[in-house]
Amino acid sequence: MLIVIGLIFLVALLSPGIHRILQEKTGWFLALLPLGSFIYLLSWLPEIAAGGTVAQSTTWVSMEFFEVNLAFYLDGLSLMFGLIITGIGTFIVLYGSGYLGGDAYLPRFYIAILLFMGSMLGVVLADNLISIFVFWELTSFTSYLLIGFSHEQENSRKAALQALLVTGIGGLALLGGMVLMGYASGHWEVSALLNEGDIIREHPHYLAILLLVLAGAFTKSAQFPFHFWLPGAMAAPTPVSAYLHSATMVKAGVYLLARMHPVLGFTETWMILVGGFGLATLLISAWLSLSFTDLKQILAYSTVMALGTMMMLIGLGTEIAMQGLAVYILSHAMYKGALFMVAGAIDHEAGTRDVRRLGGLRGLMPISAVAAGLAALSMAGIPPLFGFIAKELVYEAALESALAPILFISLAVLANMAIVAASAIVVLRPFFGKAVETPKKAHEAPLSMWAGPLTLAVLSVLFGVLPFLVDKSLMLPAASGVWGEPLDFYLSLWHGINLPLILSIATLAGGLLIYKVWDPLRESAPMKTYQAGFAHVPVKAYEGLVNGMLGLAGWQTRVLQNGLISNYLLTIIITAVVAIGYTFLSRSGIIFNPDFSDVHVYEWTLSLAVLVSLGIMLTFGKSRLTMIVAAGIVGFSLALIYLIHGAADLAMTQVLVETLTVILVVLVLIHVPKLREIRSTASRFRDGIIAASAGVLMTLLIFAATAAPFDDFISKFYADASYPLAHGRNIVNVILVDFRALDTMGEVVVVAIAGIAVYALVKMTRAGTSTANKES
Amino acid sequence: MKSLILNTATRLMIGVLVLFSLFLFFRGHDEPGGGFIGGLVGAGAFTLYAIAFGTEATRKVLKIHPITLIAYGLVALVISGLIPMFVGEPFLTGKWLFLEIGNTEWKLSSPLIFDIGVYLCVVGFIVAVIFALEEEPLINT
């Protein structure tokens, strides 16, 4: 599995080169990659169906307290997700090559979508908590690139940032939850955690773990009140929406909670939080979908509704809910993937996505019409499609809820009525009715763009009519994976006349009624208020938070970095003196037993001469240059002291650094205006006190440090090991390049970055001033 | 800066300084010296040159952009770290090769490559900053 994911990442990076060679055939070629992964995953199906699991592990980072392994774990749940990701991914790559054909940035799309696919596959297959998190964040970053694909447009950049911030903050919470979980149980592999549910549930940190993990899952899967970012992210090109926002990324949160259900679930808190937020999300977003006329917005809110339904099922936590979850996930991925792709095809061929400006396209785009029709029937939950089975199971699960079954079932029915109406809107409006003049002359989309929707729609029919194709092989292991123990069930279309069926009929009738009155309903005042309340207020709140944060940052920057270097120095020194001084004095007190017996007379003389002359020069000096040079003299004298004590290396470094520092500072100061005496006596007095207190503190610290007995264990080790282990007699150099090479490497990287930054900063300032001069 | 003495002295000094910096660099493992000190002396040489003849002339002498020098330095660091990994040892483990050429023993090692990286980064850093500061005044007033 590591090889599959690695291969996807590798090909992603090579794809621009491939595109240069194959041009418009690239899509067909690259689609082989997810197809191959799909077949690879499918080859495990017999073993998984027989109740087995597959675990593969490669050591990655190994430390004393915890390990990060590239461990992969395949059971029914991850297999189902893996198949959805690679299967739909195959069509998306193809579809993208058609949809973005001729776009100059098409190679970028290939890179980002393949990187995303690899990361997503990593999330569902990874077994180690930390590696799940790494892949999880990779999906956030790659989706940022994908949502912001049309980077010239401001709204698409804003939507990308919004999605990144919302899911990113959730991701950080998730990391916290995972680390707590790892420490609470001592296990970092999910497969091992699955048997440790009781330990976690009884752990004092259970609530904290649960809340943190939920924060990650709810933001990623757009649960109320974070539901606003997903429809916003519809600024992405349609292939991206079809993939990220229906089939894969937004389901990562669902996957995570499903995966964690045996560990964190089965408690009342879980039921109330997950079930409750799921229920709220599904009801709110189902009706929101009716307040828009943009195909993608309608579909986006119906996706949020589906995510809410999945969360609700996970929250209910009964056997029947797990069945429903598995079936619902698969059926939703198929119909929503198909509908998004058709919506993109309509947009591409007719030039608009607004249902008010579309109509009668079925004659012009027959294949897309068939695909959309079948997919919408599945979404509406009409027999004999797969979506019908899913919806029946959702109703059954809601009826069996341990908490407030009446509430769950009535809200679920109410939400599903809206979804039936939305399904009707997205198919009947564009394809049926009178032909309407569209911005572009519509015709059927190319093969690459209808192959996916049609296949997915046909599968919805096939799995609905012949549910035995998937129930024992895929649905059963997937549901068992969420449940934590093997389940046994089968799927069928006909259960006899029972309550769920009656509710389904009521839902359908209600939904069609809503569709009839949709136009006046959409324009009505309550619907406008509803849309404003649930769609716009969260966005406003988000924007308010971001602006507030920027305002705070601006304020504290103005206060702390007001452009006067003397102020920076004051702030730094006062903070250091207060913080260090308080800690030092309160912890260890003043230690004063200096031993001056082995200090020679010439050392005394040297130190005093340097300090006194320096003090005089700095106090009475009239130019900056004199002062800098004077300060440099201290450095040179220090080198002399090093030399006296036999540290030739240090002395040499000191002299060279000091020389170069003085040169650099002089180069800067040459351009600074002459020193003017603008300071009042009061400020001189204040600065004097601050300087003196800093000096006294340092002296006290050095006394305290030298008072402790000197342990030569470390220096002795280096002296002894230097030649035998590292073949060098110069200990300083050996430590730098061998024993502590990683440290040195870090420091050199800092130096390198600083160098590049200084160069860029000076160059940029100059470029800025020169353009400003030209303009003025 | 226009000064005949400085110019003449610099012309003579630069070669000696560069040689000295290389000498310091190579003796570093056993005697005082090494990549950092060698790099500082090397950077000092070019700084002197830049003060005497200006940055344009120094760029010509150096032939390579200081930022590129930093980049090569980082690459050297990474390479020295990766070498031991090819034989299955942790990142940055020192690998040694002892060669007997004539009567002298030559020590080739991954720490040597590491030290080269340090040297290049130090020279690149200081020269880049000097160039940036010398080329034009920071403040126009």
Side-chain angles (χ1 to χ4, degrees):
Chain A
M1 286 182 256
L2 177 61
I3 296 171
V4 171
I5 294 172
L7 193 67
I8 294 178
F9 282 139
L10 184 71
V11 175
L13 298 179
L14 296 178
S15 59
I18 299 173
H19 181 74
R20 215 166 294 141
I21 301 167
L22 292 178
Q23 294 298 333
E24 65 265 37
K25 296 200 178 63
T26 319
W28 292 92
F29 177 76
L30 288 180
L32 293 175
L33 183 69
L35 185 66
S37 320
F38 181 81
I39 293 168
Y40 167 78
L41 287 173
L42 206 59
S43 71
W44 290 106
L45 190 64
E47 192 164 342
I48 301 295
T53 57
V54 189
Q56 298 171 352
S57 181
T58 314
T59 314
W60 185 16
V61 180
S62 179
M63 280 187 265
E64 201 175 332
F65 299 108
F66 76 112
E67 289 192 333
V68 183
N69 295 327
L70 283 171
F72 297 98
Y73 177 70
L74 196 64
D75 70 345
L77 182 65
S78 40
L79 180 65
M80 178 174 76
F81 271 95
L83 289 176
I84 291 175
I85 292 162
T86 51
I88 296 187
T90 309
F91 293 122
I92 292 292
V93 171
L94 260 189
Y95 181 85
S97 73
Y99 187 86
L100 295 169
D103 192 313
Y105 295 130
L106 184 59
R108 279 193 207 171
F109 168 77
Y110 288 134
I111 301 183
I113 200 96
L114 289 177
L115 284 179
F116 171 78
M117 191 183 296
S119 325
M120 195 61 214
L121 210 51
V123 170
V124 299
L125 295 181
D127 192 14
N128 185 284
L129 288 175
I130 303 295
S131 33
I132 291 181
F133 172 75
V134 171
F135 286 119
W136 176 282
E137 290 297 71
L138 276 176
T139 64
S140 290
F141 289 131
T142 45
S143 70
Y144 173 72
L145 297 177
L146 284 167
I147 296 171
F149 184 74
S150 320
H151 59 267
E152 298 92 351
Q153 290 163 14
E154 197 198 351
N155 70 333
S156 121
R157 292 198 304 271
K158 272 173 81 175
L161 186 64
Q162 177 178 306
L164 181 70
L165 284 179
V166 174
T167 59
I169 290 170
L172 291 180
L174 176 67
L175 178 65
M178 284 180 157
V179 170
L180 274 183
M181 201 152 43
Y183 277 111
S185 67
H187 291 293
W188 294 91
E189 315 289 315
V190 176
S191 48
L193 263 175
L194 291 178
N195 303 318
E196 306 287 347
D198 291 330
I199 297 182
I200 302 272
R201 273 188 293 270
E202 280 155 28
H203 198 273
H205 292 153
Y206 170 70
L207 189 64
I209 295 174
L210 183 62
L211 290 177
L212 289 169
V213 171
L214 289 186
F218 282 180
T219 47
K220 197 79 160 179
S221 282
Q223 295 297 293
F224 178 80
F226 308 112
H227 61 283
F228 62 90
W229 74 259
L230 196 152
M234 290 299 138
T238 305
V240 175
S241 308
Y243 196 44
L244 270 63
H245 306 131
S246 72
T248 57
M249 183 178 81
V250 291
K251 285 209 180 88
V254 173
Y255 166 79
L256 184 78
L257 291 192
R259 173 53 83 218
M260 290 297 160
H261 175 254
V263 185
L264 297 172
F266 302 112
T267 66
E268 194 155 305
T269 331
W270 168 278
M271 223 179 272
I272 293 170
L273 284 177
V274 182
F277 275 95
L279 194 64
T281 309
L282 85 96
L283 183 68
I284 290 168
S285 50
W287 285 87
L288 267 180
S289 73
L290 294 181
S291 70
F292 290 91
T293 56
D294 179 338
L295 274 177
K296 275 176 80 175
Q297 291 288 337
I298 300 173
L299 289 174
Y301 277 107
S302 79
T303 301
V304 179
M305 178 271 178
L307 295 169
T309 309
M310 295 172 202
M311 285 296 177
M312 180 189 81
L313 290 171
I314 298 174
L316 290 175
T318 54
E319 289 188 30
I320 192 87
M322 299 309 144
Q323 283 184 40
L325 179 69
V327 178
Y328 199 92
I329 289 173
L330 184 62
S331 77
H332 175 257
M334 291 191 301
Y335 67 67
K336 198 53 72 62
L339 281 175
F340 262 119
M341 285 196 250
V342 172
I346 293 174
D347 186 19
H348 199 254
E349 305 305 334
T352 178
R353 292 195 309 251
D354 192 326
V355 288
R356 288 170 302 184
R357 300 171 63 194
L358 291 165
L361 286 174
R362 70 180 183 285
L364 300 168
M365 303 175 71
I367 306 174
S368 299
V370 171
L374 292 175
L377 286 175
S378 188
M379 176 155 110
I382 292 170
L385 285 106
F386 200 48
F388 170 72
I389 303 182
K391 194 186 58 187
E392 295 284 284
L393 285 167
V394 172
Y395 282 178
E396 264 185 73
L399 284 167
E400 276 188 22
S401 163
L403 284 158
I406 307 283
L407 178 73
F408 273 87
I409 191 66
S410 45
L411 295 188
V413 169
L414 203 57
N416 270 298
M417 285 181 182
I419 291 304
V420 171
S423 314
I425 292 165
V426 296
V427 172
L428 298 182
R429 289 295 177 118
F431 288 109
F432 293 84
K434 276 204 320 284
V436 174
E437 183 109 358
T438 49
K440 272 159 83 177
K441 190 91 190 72
H443 56 83
E444 187 53 84
L447 167 66
S448 59
M449 284 173 70
W450 58 254
L454 192 66
T455 313
L456 292 173
V458 168
L459 283 180
S460 295
V461 183
L462 195 65
F463 291 165
V465 179
L466 308 169
F468 63 85
L469 285 177
V470 282
D471 64 352
K472 293 281 176 195
S473 56
L474 195 57
M475 295 294 99
L476 187 61
S480 308
V482 191
W483 179 246
E485 274 165 34
L487 295 170
D488 194 21
F489 62 83
Y490 66 92
L491 302 177
S492 68
L493 272 175
W494 183 248
H495 288 272
I497 296 172
N498 55 7
L499 194 50
L501 185 69
I502 296 167
L503 288 173
S504 281
I505 295 168
T507 311
L508 191 61
L512 290 176
L513 197 66
I514 298 170
Y515 174 69
K516 284 281 173 217
V517 299
W518 183 53
D519 286 297
L521 177 74
R522 193 182 65 230
E523 301 299 332
S524 67
M527 201 62 180
K528 293 275 180 210
T529 324
Y530 185 78
Q531 183 190 28
F534 285 108
H536 298 155
V537 168
V539 177
K540 285 273 175 295
Y542 159 82
E543 282 169 359
L545 275 176
V546 171
N547 289 337
M549 187 80 91
L550 290 175
L552 183 70
W555 171 79
Q556 63 105 16
T557 309
R558 277 194 302 279
V559 169
L560 292 177
Q561 307 192 349
N562 58 358
L564 278 178
I565 293 181
S566 55
N567 263 22
Y568 295 11
L569 274 180
L570 274 185
T571 318
I572 294 170
I573 293 175
I574 292 176
T575 314
V577 168
V578 170
I580 299 175
Y582 172 76
T583 320
F584 172 61
L585 294 177
S586 64
R587 291 283 162 82
S588 61
I590 296 175
I591 304 165
F592 191 77
N593 60 345
D595 178 15
F596 294 118
S597 58
D598 60 348
V599 183
H600 294 281
V601 181
Y602 59 84
E603 284 167 333
W604 278 111
T605 327
L606 180 67
S607 321
L608 284 176
V610 167
L611 285 177
V612 170
S613 54
L614 179 73
I616 293 171
M617 280 177 90
L618 285 187
T619 319
F620 301 105
K622 287 281 177 238
S623 87
R624 286 200 174 88
L625 204 59
T626 340
M627 293 178 171
I628 297 297
V629 174
I633 290 172
V634 182
F636 290 116
S637 322
L638 204 59
L640 196 56
I641 293 176
Y642 285 144
L643 210 55
I644 292 171
H645 288 278
D649 252 334
L650 281 183
M652 218 140 90
T653 314
Q654 181 73 35
V655 168
L656 290 164
V657 169
E658 209 57 55
T659 316
L660 288 167
T661 312
V662 171
I663 292 177
L664 285 181
V665 176
V666 166
L667 279 180
V668 174
L669 287 188
I670 275 177
H671 308 299
V672 172
K674 273 223 166 65
L675 190 64
R676 275 174 302 157
E677 198 50 68
I678 47 166
R679 292 190 304 164
S680 62
T681 321
S683 78
R684 284 181 157 236
F685 199 66
R686 178 199 63 193
D687 293 351
I689 291 177
I690 293 169
S693 54
V696 168
L697 179 70
M698 283 315 291
T699 314
L700 288 178
L701 278 174
I702 288 171
F703 278 138
T706 47
F710 181 68
D711 184 354
D712 68 345
F713 167 74
I714 295 174
S715 40
K716 195 166 159 5
F717 164 79
Y718 284 131
D720 292 344
S722 173
Y723 199 74
L725 288 183
H727 311 284
R729 275 183 294 270
N730 176 1
I731 303 174
V732 178
N733 190 263
V734 167
I735 292 175
L736 281 178
V737 302
D738 197 305
F739 290 129
R740 306 194 59 85
L742 195 62
D743 275 12
T744 312
M745 192 168 202
E747 284 153 13
V748 171
V749 171
V750 171
V751 167
I753 293 171
I756 294 167
V758 169
Y759 193 79
L761 209 63
V762 176
K763 288 272 166 193
M764 243 164 51
T765 323
R766 213 172 287 140
T769 29
S770 63
T771 38
N773 287 347
K774 265 177 220 151
E775 276 163 16
S776 64
Chain B
M1 210 182 284
K2 292 250 183 316
S3 150
L4 186 64
I5 300 173
L6 183 66
N7 287 3
T8 318
T10 305
R11 235 186 272 282
L12 294 170
M13 288 287 285
I14 180 146
V16 180
L17 275 173
V18 170
L19 274 180
F20 181 57
S21 98
L22 291 178
F23 162 74
L24 280 177
F25 168 72
F26 280 111
R27 76 203 281 262
H29 214 56
D30 291 324
E31 307 286 337
F36 191 69
I37 295 178
L40 288 175
V41 174
F46 289 106
T47 307
L48 184 64
Y49 202 83
I51 291 174
F53 296 102
T55 48
E56 230 10 76
T58 320
R59 277 183 196 279
K60 285 205 186 89
V61 175
L62 195 61
K63 289 196 177 66
I64 183 169
H65 198 284
I67 301 289
T68 319
L69 221 50
I70 293 181
Y72 284 140
L74 292 179
V75 170
L77 291 181
V78 172
I79 288 177
S80 83
L82 290 179
I83 287 174
M85 293 183 86
F86 286 109
V87 288
E89 285 180 51
F91 190 66
L92 281 174
T93 311
K95 299 305 294 173
W96 289 80
L97 191 66
F98 298 97
L99 291 179
E100 206 64 55
I101 298 176
N103 286 330
T104 359
E105 189 186 48
W106 293 70
K107 298 193 283 191
L108 294 181
S109 63
S110 64
L112 183 68
I113 299 173
F114 188 89
D115 230 7
I116 293 176
V118 175
Y119 182 95
L120 292 178
C121 282
V122 170
V123 174
F125 168 73
I126 293 172
V127 175
V129 175
I130 298 272
F131 276 8
L133 293 175
E134 259 288 275
E135 269 166 14
E136 257 174 79
L138 268 176
I139 299 164
N140 294 332
T141 48

